[in-house]
Amino acid sequence: MLACPDRVRRHGGGGGIPRRPPHGADAGWYRPCRLARLLFDGTHALPPVIGPHPLPSGDVFPEGTGETRTVVYRTDAGGLSRTRRPGVTEYFEVDLTERRLELDETESSLRATGTAVWRVSDPLQAVAQPGAESFPELIREAVRGRLRHLASTYPDAVAGSRASLAPLRPEDVPGCTVRCELRIMRARA
């Protein structure tokens, strides 16, 4: 079942599902085929930023609520906005839900294992980030960078519960908030 606002249903085709706009198969808001697989079997993990998609004409496009998903619009000039305004031709869908990333990273003489919990916290910055689908790799690289810094600054640091990495900064993964629970230990030679 696909829920959609009454104004979308009135402009849609039969069965209450909106008609497909004339933009081809790559436009996104009317494509429930990805949603079913994501919700029911858990095998299809969508990237946090999907798009750009051509913007359907008219005012039947639903606005993002900003709770679990939101929409970012792009103008012909490349400007980004959270609200639809004149000159907007494309949009991106942004997933705001928390995601978990299991980490096992080794750098220099140290190894970090544990979990990073992350989510998009600034949709505009996340969309502007080139290669937004690579957020997990940006997190891994930031953790490896912290391990390099810890190993070079404190070469004789005691690994284990007393060794800790500095928190990831907002510029490490632009547009995302990340918190890590890691255990630091010496890497085996």
Side-chain angles (χ1 to χ4, degrees), residues 60-145:
V60 298
F61 188 77
E63 293 288 333
T65 61
E67 294 171 11
T68 59
R69 296 191 71 72
T70 193
V71 175
V72 172
Y73 300 95
R74 181 165 64 190
T75 64
D76 279 336
L80 299 173
S81 172
R82 296 277 306 271
T83 57
R84 186 172 179 172
R85 56 185 176 201
V88 169
T89 58
E90 299 177 316
Y91 73 97
F92 296 82
E93 297 173 39
V94 182
D95 183 352
L96 303 174
T97 58
E98 279 193 346
R99 295 167 180 245
R100 298 181 68 78
L101 176 63
E102 295 301 319
L103 295 170
D104 188 351
E105 303 299 323
T106 302
E107 188 66 41
S108 302
S109 61
L110 298 176
R111 179 178 175 204
T113 59
T115 303
V117 178
W118 64 280
R119 63 180 284 278
V120 172
S121 53
D122 183 343
L124 295 175
Q125 196 173 19
V127 168
Q129 172 68 27
E133 67 279 352
S134 65
F135 286 131
E137 186 52 40
L138 290 174
I139 294 168
R140 286 185 179 97
E141 180 54 40
V143 168
R144 287 191 298 266

Side-chain angles (χ1 to χ4, degrees), residues 44-61:
H44 189 61
L46 294 175
V49 176
I50 302 171
H53 303 293
L55 190 64
S57 60
D59 65 348
V60 298
F61 188 77

Side-chain angles (χ1 to χ4, degrees), residues 121 125 129 138 146 167-178:
S121 53
Q125 196 173 19
Q129 172 68 27
L138 290 174
R146 295 295 184 277
L168 299 185
R169 299 177 312 237
E171 58 269 17
D172 291 331
V173 188
C176 290
T177 300
V178 183

